[in-house]
């Protein structure tokens, strides 16, 4: 696992950690079941406060990217049904909001395509 924190970046360090681990898990660079460093170990390696890394790990766990297995450590989670359900729920909420805003279906879809391109770097 390779992470780089850029102090001059506008994103806070915990968000940089979260985004990089999430991207590496999504791309397969961190395979399902890969054991992540401890919060303390990663904080020390990156020169960050323990609370900063802990906040990133909590966010990743909330996103379903990682799971903590007690004394067995923290591992990359399988992106299975829970991730699909969460994505479907977010899509439903977006569709309802776009409709309330009066957006045409084509405009709502265009906004989603733009957001996906930006998120996936295409």
């Amino acid at each position: 696992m390779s992470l780089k924190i850029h102090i001059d970046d506008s994103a806070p360090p915990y968000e940089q950690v979260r985004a990089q681990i999430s991207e590496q898990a999504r791309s397969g660079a961190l395979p399902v079941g890969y054991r992540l460093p401890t919060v303390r170990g990663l904080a020390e390696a990156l020169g960050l406060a323990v609370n900063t890394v802990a906040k990133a790990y909590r966010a990743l766990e909330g996103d379903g990217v990682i799971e903590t297995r007690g004394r067995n450590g923290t591992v990359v989670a399988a992106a299975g049904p829970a991730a699909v359900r969460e994505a479907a729920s977010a899509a439903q909420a977006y569709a309802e909001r776009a409709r309330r805003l009066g957006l045409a279906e084509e405009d709502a879809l265009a906004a989603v395509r733009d957001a996906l391109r930006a998120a996936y770097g295409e």
Side-chain angles (χ1 to χ4, degrees):
M1 181 172 77
S2 173
L3 303 178
K4 290 184 176 61
I5 303 303
H6 303 284
I7 302 303
D8 58 338
D9 195 319
S10 63
Y14 88 89
E15 177 58 27
Q16 292 179 51
V17 171
R18 188 209 59 76
Q20 290 178 47
I21 291 175
S22 182
E23 172 57 28
Q24 290 180 32
R26 186 191 65 75
S27 72
L30 295 178
V32 171
Y34 177 86
R35 189 170 177 191
L36 296 170
T38 64
V39 169
R40 188 175 309 281
L42 185 57
E44 187 175 303
L46 296 174
L48 296 173
V50 171
N51 286 340
T52 300
V53 175
K55 186 175 182 178
Y57 273 28
R58 282 191 304 272
L60 287 162
E61 194 157 22
D63 292 344
V65 175
I66 64 173
E67 58 185 44
T68 300
R69 297 180 177 168
R71 298 190 63 82
N72 292 323
T74 301
V75 298
V76 174
V84 172
R85 281 194 308 272
E86 187 173 339
S89 176
Q92 181 66 39
Y94 171 75
E96 290 169 4
R97 182 161 173 86
R99 187 168 185 206
R100 278 195 312 271
L101 291 169
L103 290 178
E105 183 177 344
E106 298 79 29
D107 293 333
L109 284 171
V112 169
R113 282 188 207 100
D114 290 344
L116 287 170
R117 280 188 203 105
Y120 288 94
E122 296 175 8

